[in-house]
């Protein structure tokens, strides 16, 4: 009897090995992408393969495998930095921003088109894989899913047609490779691009390589556009303070169902 009691006591003192959490991604029969910690209820309705990614358990409370992104901000611009991330790839550098609490995000099509193996560098300096959900055929826009297992802070979108010339605007992105860089300027007006015929926002905030795909926001932290390009030279003469952004109304038009809280 004593031997049995001793054996039970030893077993109780042994460390328990916990199973690693898993992240499942699949596309249903309607083409909707799902991202969950549980397997799909009806595997027969999956279109394509079921992707499974193991998430390692945190070693301790101080070093979690998925650090929580900051939820407290002292002003709307700081909040916007928490919602913006750097996109790192083999050949390109860009930015993106969250539009929902479950990891959906927006960037420019030219940032991710033709690239593979890109990752999102979040504000807490952690890196996570990116899945490209959709690339717009009409605009320089793309919808991403950042495979982050916790809720993400996200930005609201504003109707860009309510902008007034001279209104202060901010850009956030990996300007010149420096993540979460903030620059400010003003709304100049709407311009119709000669080659594409597309109407874009012109603004004066300085932007550099790495800003593409980042948000153009107002003083309330609401997105009015997605930074897409700038003029660097005109007839061989350097130009500064002439940037362009895809309208937020076009983001809504393309990806309304993914934007959290959008009416």
């Amino acid at each position: 009897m004593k031997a049995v009691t001793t054996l039970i006591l030893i077993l109780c003192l042994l460390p328990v090995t916990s199973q690693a959490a898993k992240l499942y991604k699949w596309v249903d029969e309607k083409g909707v992408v799902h991202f969950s910690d549980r397997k799909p209820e009806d595997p027969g309705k999956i279109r394509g393969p079921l992707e499974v990614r193991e998430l390692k358990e945190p070693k301790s409370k101080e070093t979690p495998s998925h650090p929580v992104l900051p939820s407290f901000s002292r002003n709307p611009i700081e909040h916007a930095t928490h919602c913006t991330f750097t996109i790192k790839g083999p050949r390109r550098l860009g930015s993106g921003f969250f539009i929902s609490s479950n990891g959906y995000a927006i960037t420019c099509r030219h940032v991710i088109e033709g690239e593979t193996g890109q990752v999102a560098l979040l504000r807490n300096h952690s890196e996570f894989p990116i899945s490209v959900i959709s690339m717009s055929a009409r605009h320089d826009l793309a919808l991403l899913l950042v495979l982050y297992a916790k809720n993400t802070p996200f930005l609201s979108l504003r109707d860009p047609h309510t902008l007034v010339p001279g209104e202060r605007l901010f850009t956030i992105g990996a300007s010149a490779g420096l993540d979460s860089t903030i620059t400010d300027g003003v709304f100049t007006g709407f311009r119709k691009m000669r080659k594409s015929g597309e109407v874009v926002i012109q603004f004066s905030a300085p932007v550099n390589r790495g800003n593409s795909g980042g948000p153009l926001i107002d003083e309330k932290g609401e997105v009015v556009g997605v930074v897409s390009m700038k003029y660097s030279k005109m007839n061989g003469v350097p130009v500064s303070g002439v940037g362009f952004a895809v309208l937020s109304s076009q983001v809504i038009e393309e990806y309304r169902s993914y934007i959290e809280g959008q009416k």
Side-chain angles (χ1 to χ4, degrees):
M1 184 67 182
K2 289 183 179 180
V4 173
T5 305
T6 304
L7 178 60
I8 293 173
L9 179 60
I10 291 172
L11 290 174
C12 290
L13 292 174
L14 288 175
V16 178
T17 303
S18 58
Q19 294 183 346
K22 292 185 178 180
L23 201 61
Y24 298 93
K25 178 196 167 188
W26 69 92
V27 181
D28 66 21
E29 55 188 356
K30 296 180 180 179
V32 178
V33 179
H34 296 264
F35 174 56
S36 176
D37 59 352
R38 298 181 182 181
K39 291 183 178 180
E41 295 181 359
D42 191 351
K45 293 184 178 181
I46 294 178
R47 190 171 73 184
L50 173 65
E51 295 183 23
V52 183
R53 181 178 298 275
E54 288 196 0
L55 305 176
K56 295 180 181 180
E57 292 295 322
K59 296 180 181 179
S60 68
K61 291 184 179 179
E62 290 73 30
T63 57
S65 58
H66 283 70
V68 178
L69 287 166
S71 58
F72 172 76
S73 301
R74 290 159 290 189
N75 60 53
I77 310 305
E78 183 181 19
H79 170 73
T81 66
H82 297 156
C83 303
T84 305
F85 54 88
T86 300
I87 298 175
K88 296 168 60 180
R91 296 177 299 169
R92 297 188 202 130
L93 184 73
S95 301
F97 60 94
F98 292 112
I99 56 170
S100 75
S101 60
N102 54 358
Y104 286 104
I106 296 295
T107 189
C108 284
R109 184 184 62 221
H110 77 262
V111 171
I112 52 90
E113 194 170 29
E115 282 280 79
T116 58
Q118 290 175 305
V119 297
L121 174 64
L122 306 189
R123 187 71 175 94
N124 57 15
H125 304 295
S126 56
E127 291 186 4
F128 294 93
I130 293 172
S131 179
V132 179
I133 306 302
S134 171
M135 288 191 287
S136 173
R138 295 178 292 175
H139 311 295
D140 187 17
L141 294 171
L143 178 69
L144 309 175
L145 179 63
V146 178
L147 301 180
Y148 183 73
K150 295 184 181 294
N151 287 346
T152 51
F154 60 92
L155 293 173
S156 299
L157 278 69
R158 169 186 166 185
D159 182 357
H161 298 99
T162 59
L163 285 168
V164 178
E167 186 171 344
R168 194 179 186 191
L169 297 176
F170 300 84
T171 71
I172 301 175
S175 182
L178 301 173
D179 62 288
S180 301
T181 295
I182 305 168
T183 60
D184 69 325
V186 298
F187 169 64
T188 300
F190 297 103
R191 301 294 183 196
K192 188 173 183 179
M193 306 309 291
R194 293 180 181 178
K195 291 184 179 180
S196 64
E198 185 171 7
V199 175
V200 295
I201 293 173
Q202 182 183 336
F203 60 90
S204 65
V207 290
N208 298 289
R209 177 181 175 272
N211 270 112
S212 290
L216 178 67
I217 59 175
D218 63 14
E219 291 184 285
K220 293 182 179 179
E222 295 183 320
V223 178
V224 295
V226 183
V227 177
S228 179
M229 55 186 164
K230 72 167 187 174
Y231 279 169
S232 57
K233 288 184 179 181
M234 179 65 72
N235 297 324
V237 180
V239 175
S240 62
V242 181
F244 302 96
V246 180
L247 277 64
S248 58
S249 55
Q250 293 169 339
V251 178
I252 297 170
E253 176 188 319
E254 292 277 323
Y255 305 118
R256 182 186 297 273
S257 61
Y258 295 91
I259 303 171
E260 192 163 326
Q262 187 68 39
K263 296 180 179 179

PDB file of all heavy atoms in Angstrom, residues 150-178:
ATOM      1  N   LYS A 150      -4.103  36.370 -31.491  1.00  0.00           N
ATOM      2  CA  LYS A 150      -4.851  37.193 -30.540  1.00  0.00           C
ATOM      3  C   LYS A 150      -5.569  38.310 -31.287  1.00  0.00           C
ATOM      4  O   LYS A 150      -5.319  38.544 -32.463  1.00  0.00           O
ATOM      5  CB  LYS A 150      -3.909  37.779 -29.483  1.00  0.00           C
ATOM      6  CG  LYS A 150      -3.260  36.727 -28.585  1.00  0.00           C
ATOM      7  CD  LYS A 150      -2.415  37.371 -27.510  1.00  0.00           C
ATOM      8  CE  LYS A 150      -1.740  36.324 -26.629  1.00  0.00           C
ATOM      9  NZ  LYS A 150      -2.706  35.542 -25.844  1.00  0.00           N
ATOM     10  N   ASN A 151      -6.478  39.006 -30.604  1.00  0.00           N
ATOM     11  CA  ASN A 151      -7.188  40.119 -31.224  1.00  0.00           C
ATOM     12  C   ASN A 151      -6.218  41.235 -31.608  1.00  0.00           C
ATOM     13  O   ASN A 151      -5.262  41.518 -30.885  1.00  0.00           O
ATOM     14  CB  ASN A 151      -8.255  40.669 -30.288  1.00  0.00           C
ATOM     15  CG  ASN A 151      -9.451  39.738 -30.171  1.00  0.00           C
ATOM     16  OD1 ASN A 151      -9.602  38.816 -30.970  1.00  0.00           O
ATOM     17  ND2 ASN A 151     -10.286  39.966 -29.197  1.00  0.00           N
ATOM     18  N   THR A 152      -6.486  41.859 -32.736  1.00  0.00           N
ATOM     19  CA  THR A 152      -5.640  42.951 -33.202  1.00  0.00           C
ATOM     20  C   THR A 152      -6.394  44.275 -33.097  1.00  0.00           C
ATOM     21  O   THR A 152      -7.596  44.333 -33.382  1.00  0.00           O
ATOM     22  CB  THR A 152      -5.235  42.727 -34.669  1.00  0.00           C
ATOM     23  OG1 THR A 152      -6.398  42.446 -35.457  1.00  0.00           O
ATOM     24  CG2 THR A 152      -4.278  41.564 -34.781  1.00  0.00           C
ATOM     25  N   PRO A 153      -5.710  45.360 -32.714  1.00  0.00           N
ATOM     26  CA  PRO A 153      -6.350  46.681 -32.761  1.00  0.00           C
ATOM     27  C   PRO A 153      -6.542  47.054 -34.222  1.00  0.00           C
ATOM     28  O   PRO A 153      -5.791  46.586 -35.085  1.00  0.00           O
ATOM     29  CB  PRO A 153      -5.328  47.594 -32.073  1.00  0.00           C
ATOM     30  CG  PRO A 153      -4.018  46.910 -32.306  1.00  0.00           C
ATOM     31  CD  PRO A 153      -4.305  45.434 -32.282  1.00  0.00           C
ATOM     32  N   PHE A 154      -7.530  47.864 -34.531  1.00  0.00           N
ATOM     33  CA  PHE A 154      -7.783  48.184 -35.931  1.00  0.00           C
ATOM     34  C   PHE A 154      -8.234  49.630 -36.090  1.00  0.00           C
ATOM     35  O   PHE A 154      -8.631  50.293 -35.117  1.00  0.00           O
ATOM     36  CB  PHE A 154      -8.831  47.234 -36.522  1.00  0.00           C
ATOM     37  CG  PHE A 154     -10.174  47.278 -35.828  1.00  0.00           C
ATOM     38  CD1 PHE A 154     -11.184  48.123 -36.272  1.00  0.00           C
ATOM     39  CD2 PHE A 154     -10.426  46.470 -34.715  1.00  0.00           C
ATOM     40  CE1 PHE A 154     -12.407  48.166 -35.639  1.00  0.00           C
ATOM     41  CE2 PHE A 154     -11.655  46.508 -34.071  1.00  0.00           C
ATOM     42  CZ  PHE A 154     -12.648  47.356 -34.531  1.00  0.00           C
ATOM     43  N   LEU A 155      -8.174  50.113 -37.330  1.00  0.00           N
ATOM     44  CA  LEU A 155      -8.521  51.490 -37.646  1.00  0.00           C
ATOM     45  C   LEU A 155      -9.892  51.582 -38.310  1.00  0.00           C
ATOM     46  O   LEU A 155     -10.297  50.683 -39.047  1.00  0.00           O
ATOM     47  CB  LEU A 155      -7.476  52.101 -38.579  1.00  0.00           C
ATOM     48  CG  LEU A 155      -6.078  52.297 -37.981  1.00  0.00           C
ATOM     49  CD1 LEU A 155      -5.105  52.742 -39.056  1.00  0.00           C
ATOM     50  CD2 LEU A 155      -6.117  53.304 -36.849  1.00  0.00           C
ATOM     51  N   SER A 156     -10.566  52.698 -38.067  1.00  0.00           N
ATOM     52  CA  SER A 156     -11.838  52.990 -38.725  1.00  0.00           C
ATOM     53  C   SER A 156     -11.556  53.781 -39.997  1.00  0.00           C
ATOM     54  O   SER A 156     -10.529  54.457 -40.106  1.00  0.00           O
ATOM     55  CB  SER A 156     -12.747  53.802 -37.804  1.00  0.00           C
ATOM     56  OG  SER A 156     -13.032  53.086 -36.619  1.00  0.00           O
ATOM     57  N   LEU A 157     -12.479  53.702 -40.949  1.00  0.00           N
ATOM     58  CA  LEU A 157     -12.305  54.397 -42.215  1.00  0.00           C
ATOM     59  C   LEU A 157     -13.294  55.550 -42.339  1.00  0.00           C
ATOM     60  O   LEU A 157     -14.452  55.440 -41.924  1.00  0.00           O
ATOM     61  CB  LEU A 157     -12.487  53.433 -43.391  1.00  0.00           C
ATOM     62  CG  LEU A 157     -11.254  52.588 -43.760  1.00  0.00           C
ATOM     63  CD1 LEU A 157     -10.936  51.563 -42.685  1.00  0.00           C
ATOM     64  CD2 LEU A 157     -11.475  51.871 -45.087  1.00  0.00           C
ATOM     65  N   ARG A 158     -12.832  56.647 -42.907  1.00  0.00           N
ATOM     66  CA  ARG A 158     -13.642  57.858 -43.091  1.00  0.00           C
ATOM     67  C   ARG A 158     -13.876  58.109 -44.581  1.00  0.00           C
ATOM     68  O   ARG A 158     -13.029  57.769 -45.417  1.00  0.00           O
ATOM     69  CB  ARG A 158     -12.910  59.050 -42.465  1.00  0.00           C
ATOM     70  CG  ARG A 158     -13.490  60.413 -42.801  1.00  0.00           C
ATOM     71  CD  ARG A 158     -12.621  61.531 -42.264  1.00  0.00           C
ATOM     72  NE  ARG A 158     -12.977  62.824 -42.847  1.00  0.00           N
ATOM     73  CZ  ARG A 158     -12.310  63.960 -42.624  1.00  0.00           C
ATOM     74  NH1 ARG A 158     -11.259  63.956 -41.815  1.00  0.00           N
ATOM     75  NH2 ARG A 158     -12.682  65.087 -43.203  1.00  0.00           N
ATOM     76  N   ASP A 159     -14.996  58.700 -44.896  1.00  0.00           N
ATOM     77  CA  ASP A 159     -15.288  59.083 -46.281  1.00  0.00           C
ATOM     78  C   ASP A 159     -14.291  60.162 -46.707  1.00  0.00           C
ATOM     79  O   ASP A 159     -14.281  61.262 -46.153  1.00  0.00           O
ATOM     80  CB  ASP A 159     -16.715  59.609 -46.387  1.00  0.00           C
ATOM     81  CG  ASP A 159     -17.099  59.993 -47.814  1.00  0.00           C
ATOM     82  OD1 ASP A 159     -16.248  59.903 -48.721  1.00  0.00           O
ATOM     83  OD2 ASP A 159     -18.257  60.401 -48.015  1.00  0.00           O
ATOM     84  N   PRO A 160     -13.435  59.894 -47.690  1.00  0.00           N
ATOM     85  CA  PRO A 160     -12.406  60.871 -48.071  1.00  0.00           C
ATOM     86  C   PRO A 160     -12.982  62.131 -48.713  1.00  0.00           C
ATOM     87  O   PRO A 160     -12.318  63.177 -48.737  1.00  0.00           O
ATOM     88  CB  PRO A 160     -11.547  60.093 -49.072  1.00  0.00           C
ATOM     89  CG  PRO A 160     -12.472  59.089 -49.664  1.00  0.00           C
ATOM     90  CD  PRO A 160     -13.387  58.694 -48.534  1.00  0.00           C
ATOM     91  N   HIS A 161     -14.210  62.035 -49.215  1.00  0.00           N
ATOM     92  CA  HIS A 161     -14.806  63.187 -49.892  1.00  0.00           C
ATOM     93  C   HIS A 161     -15.233  64.288 -48.920  1.00  0.00           C
ATOM     94  O   HIS A 161     -15.662  65.358 -49.336  1.00  0.00           O
ATOM     95  CB  HIS A 161     -15.997  62.729 -50.745  1.00  0.00           C
ATOM     96  CG  HIS A 161     -15.575  61.775 -51.835  1.00  0.00           C
ATOM     97  ND1 HIS A 161     -15.711  60.408 -51.712  1.00  0.00           N
ATOM     98  CD2 HIS A 161     -14.978  61.992 -53.039  1.00  0.00           C
ATOM     99  CE1 HIS A 161     -15.250  59.831 -52.804  1.00  0.00           C
ATOM    100  NE2 HIS A 161     -14.789  60.765 -53.626  1.00  0.00           N
ATOM    101  N   THR A 162     -15.103  64.016 -47.613  1.00  0.00           N
ATOM    102  CA  THR A 162     -15.395  65.043 -46.607  1.00  0.00           C
ATOM    103  C   THR A 162     -14.147  65.854 -46.263  1.00  0.00           C
ATOM    104  O   THR A 162     -14.216  66.766 -45.439  1.00  0.00           O
ATOM    105  CB  THR A 162     -15.963  64.398 -45.323  1.00  0.00           C
ATOM    106  OG1 THR A 162     -14.998  63.469 -44.798  1.00  0.00           O
ATOM    107  CG2 THR A 162     -17.260  63.655 -45.612  1.00  0.00           C
ATOM    108  N   LEU A 163     -13.010  65.515 -46.866  1.00  0.00           N
ATOM    109  CA  LEU A 163     -11.766  66.256 -46.607  1.00  0.00           C
ATOM    110  C   LEU A 163     -11.848  67.676 -47.158  1.00  0.00           C
ATOM    111  O   LEU A 163     -12.476  67.923 -48.193  1.00  0.00           O
ATOM    112  CB  LEU A 163     -10.578  65.543 -47.248  1.00  0.00           C
ATOM    113  CG  LEU A 163     -10.075  64.269 -46.557  1.00  0.00           C
ATOM    114  CD1 LEU A 163      -9.100  63.521 -47.467  1.00  0.00           C
ATOM    115  CD2 LEU A 163      -9.412  64.593 -45.220  1.00  0.00           C
ATOM    116  N   VAL A 164     -11.181  68.587 -46.457  1.00  0.00           N
ATOM    117  CA  VAL A 164     -11.131  69.988 -46.857  1.00  0.00           C
ATOM    118  C   VAL A 164      -9.667  70.362 -47.128  1.00  0.00           C
ATOM    119  O   VAL A 164      -8.785  69.997 -46.331  1.00  0.00           O
ATOM    120  CB  VAL A 164     -11.698  70.896 -45.749  1.00  0.00           C
ATOM    121  CG1 VAL A 164     -11.598  72.356 -46.145  1.00  0.00           C
ATOM    122  CG2 VAL A 164     -13.139  70.512 -45.434  1.00  0.00           C
ATOM    123  N   PRO A 165      -9.359  71.047 -48.227  1.00  0.00           N
ATOM    124  CA  PRO A 165      -7.981  71.455 -48.493  1.00  0.00           C
ATOM    125  C   PRO A 165      -7.368  72.176 -47.293  1.00  0.00           C
ATOM    126  O   PRO A 165      -7.992  73.057 -46.694  1.00  0.00           O
ATOM    127  CB  PRO A 165      -8.115  72.387 -49.696  1.00  0.00           C
ATOM    128  CG  PRO A 165      -9.302  71.862 -50.428  1.00  0.00           C
ATOM    129  CD  PRO A 165     -10.263  71.434 -49.336  1.00  0.00           C
ATOM    130  N   GLY A 166      -6.160  71.770 -46.931  1.00  0.00           N
ATOM    131  CA  GLY A 166      -5.491  72.342 -45.767  1.00  0.00           C
ATOM    132  C   GLY A 166      -5.705  71.534 -44.502  1.00  0.00           C
ATOM    133  O   GLY A 166      -5.053  71.810 -43.480  1.00  0.00           O
ATOM    134  N   GLU A 167      -6.572  70.547 -44.547  1.00  0.00           N
ATOM    135  CA  GLU A 167      -6.816  69.713 -43.361  1.00  0.00           C
ATOM    136  C   GLU A 167      -5.576  68.873 -43.069  1.00  0.00           C
ATOM    137  O   GLU A 167      -4.967  68.301 -43.971  1.00  0.00           O
ATOM    138  CB  GLU A 167      -8.025  68.805 -43.598  1.00  0.00           C
ATOM    139  CG  GLU A 167      -8.428  68.008 -42.370  1.00  0.00           C
ATOM    140  CD  GLU A 167      -9.753  67.281 -42.558  1.00  0.00           C
ATOM    141  OE1 GLU A 167     -10.510  67.630 -43.497  1.00  0.00           O
ATOM    142  OE2 GLU A 167     -10.018  66.362 -41.767  1.00  0.00           O
ATOM    143  N   ARG A 168      -5.211  68.799 -41.791  1.00  0.00           N
ATOM    144  CA  ARG A 168      -3.991  68.101 -41.401  1.00  0.00           C
ATOM    145  C   ARG A 168      -4.156  66.587 -41.530  1.00  0.00           C
ATOM    146  O   ARG A 168      -5.164  66.019 -41.101  1.00  0.00           O
ATOM    147  CB  ARG A 168      -3.623  68.453 -39.958  1.00  0.00           C
ATOM    148  CG  ARG A 168      -2.200  68.050 -39.577  1.00  0.00           C
ATOM    149  CD  ARG A 168      -1.893  68.454 -38.151  1.00  0.00           C
ATOM    150  NE  ARG A 168      -0.495  68.217 -37.812  1.00  0.00           N
ATOM    151  CZ  ARG A 168      -0.005  68.282 -36.577  1.00  0.00           C
ATOM    152  NH1 ARG A 168      -0.806  68.579 -35.564  1.00  0.00           N
ATOM    153  NH2 ARG A 168       1.271  68.055 -36.343  1.00  0.00           N
ATOM    154  N   LEU A 169      -3.130  65.940 -42.108  1.00  0.00           N
ATOM    155  CA  LEU A 169      -3.127  64.499 -42.288  1.00  0.00           C
ATOM    156  C   LEU A 169      -1.791  63.917 -41.836  1.00  0.00           C
ATOM    157  O   LEU A 169      -0.767  64.618 -41.826  1.00  0.00           O
ATOM    158  CB  LEU A 169      -3.371  64.139 -43.756  1.00  0.00           C
ATOM    159  CG  LEU A 169      -4.716  64.536 -44.375  1.00  0.00           C
ATOM    160  CD1 LEU A 169      -4.736  64.179 -45.851  1.00  0.00           C
ATOM    161  CD2 LEU A 169      -5.872  63.867 -43.646  1.00  0.00           C
ATOM    162  N   PHE A 170      -1.807  62.628 -41.495  1.00  0.00           N
ATOM    163  CA  PHE A 170      -0.602  61.935 -41.042  1.00  0.00           C
ATOM    164  C   PHE A 170      -0.423  60.640 -41.835  1.00  0.00           C
ATOM    165  O   PHE A 170      -1.409  59.995 -42.211  1.00  0.00           O
ATOM    166  CB  PHE A 170      -0.708  61.563 -39.557  1.00  0.00           C
ATOM    167  CG  PHE A 170      -0.895  62.729 -38.635  1.00  0.00           C
ATOM    168  CD1 PHE A 170      -2.167  63.254 -38.422  1.00  0.00           C
ATOM    169  CD2 PHE A 170       0.179  63.297 -37.965  1.00  0.00           C
ATOM    170  CE1 PHE A 170      -2.354  64.327 -37.567  1.00  0.00           C
ATOM    171  CE2 PHE A 170       0.002  64.373 -37.104  1.00  0.00           C
ATOM    172  CZ  PHE A 170      -1.264  64.891 -36.900  1.00  0.00           C
ATOM    173  N   THR A 171       0.824  60.270 -42.075  1.00  0.00           N
ATOM    174  CA  THR A 171       1.125  58.950 -42.622  1.00  0.00           C
ATOM    175  C   THR A 171       1.864  58.152 -41.556  1.00  0.00           C
ATOM    176  O   THR A 171       2.609  58.716 -40.749  1.00  0.00           O
ATOM    177  CB  THR A 171       2.006  59.008 -43.886  1.00  0.00           C
ATOM    178  OG1 THR A 171       3.332  59.398 -43.530  1.00  0.00           O
ATOM    179  CG2 THR A 171       1.428  59.974 -44.916  1.00  0.00           C
ATOM    180  N   ILE A 172       1.652  56.839 -41.565  1.00  0.00           N
ATOM    181  CA  ILE A 172       2.368  55.944 -40.657  1.00  0.00           C
ATOM    182  C   ILE A 172       2.865  54.765 -41.479  1.00  0.00           C
ATOM    183  O   ILE A 172       2.109  54.177 -42.256  1.00  0.00           O
ATOM    184  CB  ILE A 172       1.463  55.442 -39.517  1.00  0.00           C
ATOM    185  CG1 ILE A 172       0.934  56.624 -38.715  1.00  0.00           C
ATOM    186  CG2 ILE A 172       2.225  54.482 -38.603  1.00  0.00           C
ATOM    187  CD1 ILE A 172      -0.065  56.254 -37.651  1.00  0.00           C
ATOM    188  N   GLY A 173       4.139  54.422 -41.334  1.00  0.00           N
ATOM    189  CA  GLY A 173       4.680  53.303 -42.089  1.00  0.00           C
ATOM    190  C   GLY A 173       6.169  53.141 -41.874  1.00  0.00           C
ATOM    191  O   GLY A 173       6.788  53.870 -41.095  1.00  0.00           O
ATOM    192  N   ALA A 174       6.721  52.175 -42.602  1.00  0.00           N
ATOM    193  CA  ALA A 174       8.151  51.865 -42.487  1.00  0.00           C
ATOM    194  C   ALA A 174       8.949  52.773 -43.408  1.00  0.00           C
ATOM    195  O   ALA A 174       9.652  52.315 -44.318  1.00  0.00           O
ATOM    196  CB  ALA A 174       8.391  50.403 -42.820  1.00  0.00           C
ATOM    197  N   SER A 175       8.857  54.066 -43.179  1.00  0.00           N
ATOM    198  CA  SER A 175       9.532  55.050 -44.015  1.00  0.00           C
ATOM    199  C   SER A 175      11.042  54.852 -43.966  1.00  0.00           C
ATOM    200  O   SER A 175      11.649  54.878 -42.890  1.00  0.00           O
ATOM    201  CB  SER A 175       9.174  56.461 -43.534  1.00  0.00           C
ATOM    202  OG  SER A 175       9.761  57.441 -44.344  1.00  0.00           O
ATOM    203  N   ALA A 176      11.654  54.624 -45.145  1.00  0.00           N
ATOM    204  CA  ALA A 176      13.099  54.386 -45.253  1.00  0.00           C
ATOM    205  C   ALA A 176      13.547  53.223 -44.373  1.00  0.00           C
ATOM    206  O   ALA A 176      14.687  53.185 -43.913  1.00  0.00           O
ATOM    207  CB  ALA A 176      13.866  55.655 -44.888  1.00  0.00           C
ATOM    208  N   GLY A 177      12.631  52.274 -44.130  1.00  0.00           N
ATOM    209  CA  GLY A 177      12.954  51.098 -43.336  1.00  0.00           C
ATOM    210  C   GLY A 177      12.790  51.280 -41.846  1.00  0.00           C
ATOM    211  O   GLY A 177      13.023  50.345 -41.075  1.00  0.00           O
ATOM    212  N   LEU A 178      12.363  52.458 -41.402  1.00  0.00           N
ATOM    213  CA  LEU A 178      12.170  52.739 -39.971  1.00  0.00           C
ATOM    214  C   LEU A 178      10.699  52.533 -39.646  1.00  0.00           C
ATOM    215  O   LEU A 178       9.843  53.347 -39.998  1.00  0.00           O
ATOM    216  CB  LEU A 178      12.598  54.167 -39.648  1.00  0.00           C
ATOM    217  CG  LEU A 178      14.063  54.499 -39.978  1.00  0.00           C
ATOM    218  CD1 LEU A 178      14.320  55.989 -39.783  1.00  0.00           C
ATOM    219  CD2 LEU A 178      14.995  53.679 -39.104  1.00  0.00           C
TER     220      LEU A 178
END
